[in-house]
Amino acid sequence: MMNTDYPFLMIPGPTPLPDAVREVMSRPAVGHRSPEFKVIVRRVLDNLKQVFKTQHDVIMYTASATGAIEAALSNTLNPNETLLVLSCGVFSNRWAEMAKTLGIDVQEISVPQGEANTADSLREALNADVTKSIKAVIFVHSETSTGALNDVQTFTRLIREHGALSIVDTVTGLSADAFKFDEWDIDLAISGSQKGFMMQPGLSFLAVGPRALARHREQVKNPGFYFNFDRNIKAQGQDTTAYTPATHLIMALDVSLQMMLNEGIESMNMRHLKLRNMVRAGLRAMGLTLLVEDDNHASPAVTAVLPPNGVSTADIRGILKNRFNIAVADGQAALKNKIFRIGHLGHVYERDVFMTLASLEAVLYELGHPLESGAALKAAQESASIHRVMNAVSA
Ligand SMILES: Cc1ncc(COP(=O)(O)O)c(C=O)c1O
């Protein structure tokens, strides 16, 4: 029988939608300059600050996260100024390409796919820059294409010591892993609605610190129009947006932010860590190899895994989808058809991980991969119970 339900998304975005967030889309139209909508805009902007852990402005754009990254670059850098890009996968590579398109000079430090960037190579590049030609450094918190996790706190400290602006793509990092914009003295940070915010795609968020704002105001000659920091910040200061926003997405964000703050950002971080550890334990118990082997550099949002020898990722993903109605993601670029990625981000809980591991086990069994039946679930259960003990001790 054909399953007509939408597949359950175990991909690293878009992530599953809570009913309360989904239902907002059927509300009547609302005037975007109306007093009632202004109340929502104000609340959403205040709550976004709590998620980024900042007192500074968080600009909300009607654009996907790539738009907000472009805003970060074009508002703070002039053509021919130098941006250092720490590359570790598809998304960091995209920022290098974007900067080049904007006429910015790019210096790049790369690591093999599946590895995180290192503080040593960053320190070395910054120390070598005696003329201070590097004006900003961009890196990805959680590299969604590989599941590698970068050390935001250490990197931003090194960048601060050098004097360049730090730009952090925390599109799949925020809410899954600790992130403290003010305490870590970060200059710019970007996230997107369809990730840890557990809502529909279409909005992006850009936290702007004072040094970034000063550079935008005093040094950047062509900061653009739609994404212009000042235009957007000025409007937001009046509880509105510079241009017609995606009203219903903002109302959905209002609901999702209330859910996030009710759960608590630290609790969200713990939940994602638990899910990550359950997934990793379960996959290892099935005899599978993880692309990011080192747990210390593994993203709490997504896990990339290699298929067993002789088994194709297309078959694994296809059967998971057709038989169990669970979507997991393919690899991207050079990793396409070489890995598959299990997202455990946003509105995802233990039940979903057990369901995915059990279904994956059935798929692999059918595809002839030798495994001990139930081992993955047992490993995941043990991992979850360790978290419960840890939580009880810390409570
Ligand atoms: C780490 C990271 N950065 C940036 C993006 C781009 O976001 P968007 O597709 O919303 O433009 C993504 C999307 O998956 C991502 O995972």
Side-chain angles (χ1 to χ4, degrees):
M1 193 178 67
M2 173 86 170
N3 190 342
T4 53
D5 289 351
Y6 285 97
F8 190 80
L9 298 184
M10 292 295 285
I11 63 174
T15 57
L17 298 175
D19 288 347
V21 172
R22 194 162 51 86
E23 284 161 5
V24 172
M25 292 301 124
S26 61
R27 286 191 197 165
V30 57
H32 66 293
R33 305 289 182 212
S34 63
E36 51 277 17
F37 193 66
K38 282 190 168 195
V39 171
I40 295 174
V41 169
R42 183 72 268 143
R43 186 164 55 229
V44 158
L45 293 174
D46 289 344
N47 287 343
L48 276 173
K49 291 183 188 201
Q50 293 198 51
V51 177
F52 279 85
K53 298 202 182 292
T54 184
Q55 302 290 323
H56 304 302
D57 286 295
V58 180
I59 302 177
M60 180 169 59
Y61 291 117
T62 298
S64 82
T66 304
I69 304 261
E70 184 158 336
L73 298 185
S74 61
N75 275 280
T76 60
L77 292 166
N78 292 301
N80 302 320
E81 288 183 332
T82 302
L83 172 73
L84 176 63
V85 181
L86 305 186
S87 290
C88 63
V90 166
F91 291 101
S92 25
N93 291 344
R94 186 190 285 180
W95 312 143
E97 191 191 337
M98 177 189 274
K100 285 177 197 158
T101 310
L102 295 169
I104 296 164
D105 290 340
V106 170
Q107 188 182 328
E108 235 174 312
I109 305 177
S110 300
V111 290
Q113 303 230 44
E115 289 181 21
N117 296 108
T118 67
D120 284 348
S121 61
L122 172 61
R123 190 182 292 109
E124 200 180 306
L126 294 174
N127 285 345
D129 181 38
V130 282
T131 59
K132 303 277 179 206
S133 68
I134 297 172
K135 300 299 178 221
V137 182
I138 188 167
F139 63 92
V140 176
H141 181 179
S142 153
E143 175 51 74
T144 318
S145 64
T146 64
L149 184 74
N150 275 325
D151 180 351
V152 177
Q153 188 175 9
T154 304
F155 291 6
T156 47
R157 181 173 49 75
L158 294 172
I159 298 165
R160 176 90 334 275
E161 285 164 12
H162 167 279
L165 295 181
S166 53
I167 310 177
V168 188
D169 166 351
T170 183
V171 172
T172 53
L174 197 67
S175 84
D177 190 33
F179 190 85
K180 300 177 180 175
F181 189 86
D182 287 0
E183 195 180 317
W184 296 347
D185 209 6
I186 299 169
D187 294 304
L188 295 151
I190 299 94
S191 195
S193 55
Q194 77 278 25
K195 307 288 187 179
F197 287 89
M198 51 192 178
M199 56 168 290
Q200 300 83 349
L203 294 178
S204 49
F205 317 111
L206 170 51
V208 184
R211 284 180 299 264
L213 199 53
R215 194 161 215 286
H216 158 76
R217 287 181 176 155
E218 293 156 20
Q219 305 200 35
V220 173
K221 296 181 191 73
N222 270 315
F225 192 92
Y226 183 79
F227 289 110
N228 186 291
F229 282 0
D230 263 333
R231 287 177 181 277
N232 284 278
I233 288 174
K234 188 168 163 238
Q236 290 189 179
Q238 292 157 6
D239 303 345
T240 188
T241 54
Y243 317 104
T244 312
T247 46
H248 283 61
L249 291 181
I250 291 176
M251 291 191 284
L253 176 65
D254 190 26
V255 175
S256 76
L257 284 169
Q258 314 264 2
M259 288 180 67
M260 292 170 80
L261 297 179
N262 282 347
E263 181 176 0
I265 303 304
E266 280 74 20
S267 302
M268 285 188 83
N269 296 166
M270 288 304 289
R271 171 164 60 84
H272 284 90
L273 185 67
K274 177 179 72 181
L275 299 183
R276 177 201 80 166
N277 290 345
M278 289 172 67
V279 168
R280 291 174 71 79
L283 293 172
R284 283 179 170 139
M286 284 188 246
L288 299 177
T289 304
L290 307 180
L291 183 65
V292 179
E293 285 179 343
D294 183 348
D295 290 346
N296 294 318
H297 297 303
S299 167
V302 53
T303 300
V305 53
L306 280 69
N309 275 341
V311 176
S312 88
T313 55
D315 283 347
I316 294 172
R317 293 180 55 241
I319 302 177
L320 261 180
K321 173 112 176 273
N322 295 334
R323 172 115 17 106
F324 298 102
N325 215 22
I326 297 172
V328 298
D330 194 0
Q332 293 173 278
L335 291 172
K336 193 166 177 54
N337 290 323
K338 299 219 166 63
I339 57 166
F340 59 101
R341 293 172 300 145
I342 300 178
H344 27 87
L345 177 61
H347 191 52
V348 174
Y349 303 90
E350 276 186 38
R351 177 204 63 173
D352 310 314
V353 167
F354 282 128
M355 174 184 82
T356 305
L357 290 173
S359 305
L360 180 61
E361 190 183 277
V363 171
L364 292 178
Y365 178 80
E366 179 175 330
L367 290 170
H369 173 60
L371 42 75
E372 191 193 327
S373 190
L377 296 188
K378 184 161 179 271
Q381 273 165 27
E382 282 166 4
S383 175
S385 65
I386 291 171
H387 276 268
R388 269 189 283 280
V389 172
M390 273 168 33
N391 276 349
V393 170
S394 66

Short mmCIF file of all heavy atoms in Angstrom, two decimals, residues 335-370:
data_model
loop_
_atom_site.label_atom_id
_atom_site.label_comp_id
_atom_site.label_asym_id
_atom_site.label_seq_id
_atom_site.Cartn_x
_atom_site.Cartn_y
_atom_site.Cartn_z
N LEU A 335 30.92 14.14 -1.60
CA LEU A 335 30.45 13.04 -0.72
C LEU A 335 29.08 12.50 -1.17
O LEU A 335 28.53 11.62 -0.50
CB LEU A 335 30.38 13.53 0.73
CG LEU A 335 31.75 13.80 1.38
CD1 LEU A 335 31.58 14.45 2.75
CD2 LEU A 335 32.56 12.51 1.51
N LYS A 336 28.57 13.00 -2.27
CA LYS A 336 27.27 12.51 -2.77
C LYS A 336 27.39 11.01 -3.06
O LYS A 336 28.37 10.56 -3.65
CB LYS A 336 26.90 13.27 -4.05
CG LYS A 336 25.47 13.06 -4.46
CD LYS A 336 25.06 14.08 -5.52
CE LYS A 336 23.66 13.85 -6.02
NZ LYS A 336 22.65 13.80 -4.97
N ASN A 337 26.41 10.26 -2.61
CA ASN A 337 26.39 8.79 -2.78
C ASN A 337 27.50 8.07 -2.02
O ASN A 337 27.67 6.87 -2.18
CB ASN A 337 26.47 8.38 -4.26
CG ASN A 337 25.19 8.73 -4.98
OD1 ASN A 337 24.11 8.62 -4.40
ND2 ASN A 337 25.30 9.16 -6.21
N LYS A 338 28.28 8.80 -1.23
CA LYS A 338 29.37 8.15 -0.48
C LYS A 338 29.03 8.03 1.00
O LYS A 338 29.56 7.16 1.70
CB LYS A 338 30.66 8.95 -0.64
CG LYS A 338 31.13 9.06 -2.09
CD LYS A 338 32.63 8.94 -2.18
CE LYS A 338 33.12 8.70 -3.59
NZ LYS A 338 32.80 9.80 -4.50
N ILE A 339 28.19 8.94 1.47
CA ILE A 339 27.76 8.89 2.87
C ILE A 339 26.25 9.13 2.89
O ILE A 339 25.67 9.54 1.88
CB ILE A 339 28.42 10.01 3.72
CG1 ILE A 339 28.11 11.40 3.13
CG2 ILE A 339 29.90 9.80 3.91
CD1 ILE A 339 28.42 12.57 4.05
N PHE A 340 25.63 8.87 4.02
CA PHE A 340 24.29 9.43 4.24
C PHE A 340 24.32 10.14 5.59
O PHE A 340 25.19 9.88 6.42
CB PHE A 340 23.18 8.39 4.12
CG PHE A 340 23.28 7.22 5.08
CD1 PHE A 340 22.50 7.17 6.23
CD2 PHE A 340 24.12 6.15 4.83
CE1 PHE A 340 22.57 6.09 7.11
CE2 PHE A 340 24.20 5.06 5.70
CZ PHE A 340 23.42 5.05 6.84
N ARG A 341 23.42 11.10 5.74
CA ARG A 341 23.46 11.94 6.93
C ARG A 341 22.15 11.85 7.69
O ARG A 341 21.08 12.01 7.10
CB ARG A 341 23.75 13.39 6.53
CG ARG A 341 25.15 13.59 5.95
CD ARG A 341 25.35 14.99 5.40
NE ARG A 341 24.41 15.27 4.34
CZ ARG A 341 23.85 16.46 4.10
NH1 ARG A 341 24.15 17.49 4.89
NH2 ARG A 341 23.01 16.63 3.11
N ILE A 342 22.26 11.58 8.97
CA ILE A 342 21.08 11.52 9.83
C ILE A 342 21.01 12.83 10.62
O ILE A 342 21.93 13.15 11.39
CB ILE A 342 21.15 10.32 10.79
CG1 ILE A 342 21.25 9.02 9.98
CG2 ILE A 342 19.95 10.31 11.73
CD1 ILE A 342 21.38 7.77 10.83
N GLY A 343 19.95 13.59 10.38
CA GLY A 343 19.77 14.81 11.15
C GLY A 343 19.07 14.47 12.46
O GLY A 343 18.19 13.62 12.52
N HIS A 344 19.52 15.13 13.54
CA HIS A 344 18.84 14.97 14.84
C HIS A 344 18.75 16.36 15.44
O HIS A 344 19.27 16.65 16.50
CB HIS A 344 19.58 13.98 15.75
CG HIS A 344 21.06 13.87 15.49
ND1 HIS A 344 21.97 14.70 16.07
CD2 HIS A 344 21.76 13.05 14.68
CE1 HIS A 344 23.18 14.37 15.65
NE2 HIS A 344 23.09 13.39 14.79
N LEU A 345 18.05 17.22 14.68
CA LEU A 345 18.03 18.65 14.98
C LEU A 345 16.60 19.15 15.10
O LEU A 345 15.74 18.79 14.30
CB LEU A 345 18.75 19.40 13.84
CG LEU A 345 18.79 20.92 13.90
CD1 LEU A 345 19.52 21.40 15.15
CD2 LEU A 345 19.50 21.48 12.65
N GLY A 346 16.38 20.01 16.08
CA GLY A 346 15.09 20.67 16.21
C GLY A 346 14.08 19.85 16.99
O GLY A 346 14.36 19.39 18.10
N HIS A 347 12.90 19.66 16.38
CA HIS A 347 11.78 18.99 17.06
C HIS A 347 11.94 17.47 16.94
O HIS A 347 11.12 16.77 16.35
CB HIS A 347 10.49 19.46 16.40
CG HIS A 347 9.23 19.09 17.12
ND1 HIS A 347 9.02 19.33 18.45
CD2 HIS A 347 8.11 18.47 16.66
CE1 HIS A 347 7.81 18.89 18.79
NE2 HIS A 347 7.25 18.36 17.72
N VAL A 348 13.04 16.95 17.47
CA VAL A 348 13.40 15.53 17.35
C VAL A 348 13.73 15.03 18.75
O VAL A 348 14.41 15.71 19.51
CB VAL A 348 14.61 15.37 16.39
CG1 VAL A 348 15.08 13.94 16.35
CG2 VAL A 348 14.25 15.84 14.99
N TYR A 349 13.25 13.83 19.05
CA TYR A 349 13.36 13.32 20.42
C TYR A 349 13.83 11.86 20.40
O TYR A 349 14.02 11.29 19.32
CB TYR A 349 12.01 13.48 21.14
CG TYR A 349 11.59 14.94 21.12
CD1 TYR A 349 10.81 15.45 20.07
CD2 TYR A 349 12.05 15.83 22.09
CE1 TYR A 349 10.48 16.80 20.00
CE2 TYR A 349 11.72 17.19 22.03
CZ TYR A 349 10.94 17.66 20.99
OH TYR A 349 10.65 19.00 20.93
N GLU A 350 13.99 11.29 21.61
CA GLU A 350 14.50 9.91 21.70
C GLU A 350 13.70 8.94 20.83
O GLU A 350 14.25 8.08 20.16
CB GLU A 350 14.40 9.43 23.16
CG GLU A 350 15.57 9.85 24.01
CD GLU A 350 15.50 9.22 25.39
OE1 GLU A 350 15.11 8.04 25.51
OE2 GLU A 350 15.84 9.92 26.35
N ARG A 351 12.39 9.09 20.87
CA ARG A 351 11.53 8.18 20.09
C ARG A 351 11.96 8.15 18.63
O ARG A 351 12.03 7.10 18.00
CB ARG A 351 10.08 8.65 20.18
CG ARG A 351 9.11 7.83 19.37
CD ARG A 351 7.87 8.61 19.00
NE ARG A 351 8.19 9.76 18.15
CZ ARG A 351 7.27 10.53 17.58
NH1 ARG A 351 5.99 10.32 17.79
NH2 ARG A 351 7.62 11.55 16.82
N ASP A 352 12.29 9.31 18.09
CA ASP A 352 12.63 9.42 16.68
C ASP A 352 13.96 8.74 16.37
O ASP A 352 14.15 8.15 15.30
CB ASP A 352 12.65 10.89 16.27
CG ASP A 352 11.37 11.60 16.73
OD1 ASP A 352 10.29 11.03 16.51
OD2 ASP A 352 11.47 12.69 17.34
N VAL A 353 14.87 8.83 17.32
CA VAL A 353 16.16 8.17 17.13
C VAL A 353 15.99 6.65 17.18
O VAL A 353 16.52 5.92 16.34
CB VAL A 353 17.18 8.67 18.19
CG1 VAL A 353 18.42 7.78 18.21
CG2 VAL A 353 17.56 10.11 17.92
N PHE A 354 15.23 6.17 18.17
CA PHE A 354 14.99 4.72 18.24
C PHE A 354 14.32 4.22 16.96
O PHE A 354 14.69 3.19 16.40
CB PHE A 354 14.11 4.37 19.45
CG PHE A 354 14.88 4.38 20.76
CD1 PHE A 354 14.43 5.12 21.84
CD2 PHE A 354 16.05 3.64 20.91
CE1 PHE A 354 15.13 5.12 23.05
CE2 PHE A 354 16.75 3.63 22.10
CZ PHE A 354 16.30 4.38 23.17
N MET A 355 13.33 4.97 16.50
CA MET A 355 12.60 4.60 15.28
C MET A 355 13.56 4.52 14.08
O MET A 355 13.52 3.59 13.29
CB MET A 355 11.53 5.68 15.06
CG MET A 355 10.75 5.60 13.81
SD MET A 355 9.64 7.05 13.74
CE MET A 355 10.75 8.31 13.11
N THR A 356 14.43 5.50 13.99
CA THR A 356 15.36 5.54 12.85
C THR A 356 16.38 4.42 12.92
O THR A 356 16.66 3.75 11.91
CB THR A 356 16.08 6.92 12.81
OG1 THR A 356 15.08 7.93 12.80
CG2 THR A 356 16.95 7.05 11.58
N LEU A 357 16.92 4.19 14.12
CA LEU A 357 17.92 3.13 14.25
C LEU A 357 17.30 1.77 13.98
O LEU A 357 17.88 0.93 13.28
CB LEU A 357 18.55 3.16 15.66
CG LEU A 357 19.48 4.36 15.95
CD1 LEU A 357 19.88 4.34 17.43
CD2 LEU A 357 20.72 4.33 15.06
N ALA A 358 16.11 1.54 14.52
CA ALA A 358 15.45 0.23 14.31
C ALA A 358 15.15 0.03 12.82
O ALA A 358 15.36 -1.06 12.27
CB ALA A 358 14.16 0.16 15.13
N SER A 359 14.68 1.08 12.17
CA SER A 359 14.35 0.96 10.75
C SER A 359 15.62 0.75 9.93
O SER A 359 15.65 -0.06 9.00
CB SER A 359 13.64 2.23 10.26
OG SER A 359 12.51 2.48 11.07
N LEU A 360 16.66 1.47 10.28
CA LEU A 360 17.93 1.34 9.56
C LEU A 360 18.47 -0.09 9.72
O LEU A 360 18.99 -0.68 8.77
CB LEU A 360 18.93 2.37 10.07
CG LEU A 360 20.31 2.37 9.43
CD1 LEU A 360 20.23 2.65 7.92
CD2 LEU A 360 21.22 3.42 10.09
N GLU A 361 18.32 -0.61 10.92
CA GLU A 361 18.79 -1.98 11.16
C GLU A 361 18.05 -2.95 10.23
O GLU A 361 18.66 -3.83 9.61
CB GLU A 361 18.57 -2.35 12.63
CG GLU A 361 19.24 -3.64 13.01
CD GLU A 361 18.95 -4.03 14.45
OE1 GLU A 361 19.63 -3.51 15.35
OE2 GLU A 361 18.03 -4.83 14.67
N ALA A 362 16.75 -2.76 10.12
CA ALA A 362 15.96 -3.64 9.25
C ALA A 362 16.40 -3.49 7.79
O ALA A 362 16.49 -4.48 7.04
CB ALA A 362 14.48 -3.30 9.39
N VAL A 363 16.70 -2.28 7.39
CA VAL A 363 17.14 -2.02 6.01
C VAL A 363 18.48 -2.71 5.75
O VAL A 363 18.66 -3.38 4.73
CB VAL A 363 17.27 -0.49 5.76
CG1 VAL A 363 17.94 -0.21 4.42
CG2 VAL A 363 15.90 0.18 5.83
N LEU A 364 19.41 -2.54 6.67
CA LEU A 364 20.74 -3.12 6.47
C LEU A 364 20.67 -4.65 6.48
O LEU A 364 21.36 -5.33 5.71
CB LEU A 364 21.70 -2.63 7.56
CG LEU A 364 22.05 -1.13 7.47
CD1 LEU A 364 22.96 -0.72 8.62
CD2 LEU A 364 22.71 -0.79 6.14
N TYR A 365 19.83 -5.19 7.34
CA TYR A 365 19.64 -6.64 7.38
C TYR A 365 19.16 -7.13 6.01
O TYR A 365 19.69 -8.08 5.44
CB TYR A 365 18.62 -6.97 8.48
CG TYR A 365 18.31 -8.45 8.59
CD1 TYR A 365 19.17 -9.30 9.28
CD2 TYR A 365 17.16 -8.98 8.01
CE1 TYR A 365 18.89 -10.65 9.37
CE2 TYR A 365 16.88 -10.32 8.10
CZ TYR A 365 17.74 -11.16 8.78
OH TYR A 365 17.47 -12.49 8.87
N GLU A 366 18.19 -6.41 5.49
CA GLU A 366 17.65 -6.80 4.19
C GLU A 366 18.69 -6.69 3.08
O GLU A 366 18.71 -7.47 2.13
CB GLU A 366 16.44 -5.91 3.86
CG GLU A 366 15.85 -6.22 2.51
CD GLU A 366 14.59 -5.42 2.24
OE1 GLU A 366 13.88 -5.08 3.20
OE2 GLU A 366 14.35 -5.13 1.06
N LEU A 367 19.58 -5.70 3.21
CA LEU A 367 20.60 -5.51 2.18
C LEU A 367 21.81 -6.43 2.39
O LEU A 367 22.82 -6.31 1.70
CB LEU A 367 21.04 -4.04 2.15
CG LEU A 367 19.98 -3.07 1.61
CD1 LEU A 367 20.41 -1.61 1.84
CD2 LEU A 367 19.74 -3.31 0.12
N GLY A 368 21.71 -7.32 3.37
CA GLY A 368 22.73 -8.36 3.53
C GLY A 368 23.90 -7.96 4.41
O GLY A 368 24.91 -8.66 4.45
N HIS A 369 23.77 -6.86 5.13
CA HIS A 369 24.86 -6.46 6.02
C HIS A 369 24.74 -7.25 7.32
O HIS A 369 23.71 -7.18 7.99
CB HIS A 369 24.77 -4.95 6.29
CG HIS A 369 25.75 -4.46 7.31
ND1 HIS A 369 27.10 -4.58 7.16
CD2 HIS A 369 25.55 -3.86 8.51
CE1 HIS A 369 27.70 -4.05 8.22
NE2 HIS A 369 26.78 -3.62 9.06
N PRO A 370 25.80 -7.99 7.69
CA PRO A 370 25.69 -8.79 8.91
C PRO A 370 25.65 -7.89 10.15
O PRO A 370 26.49 -7.01 10.30
CB PRO A 370 26.97 -9.64 8.89
CG PRO A 370 27.93 -8.87 8.04
CD PRO A 370 27.12 -8.07 7.07
#
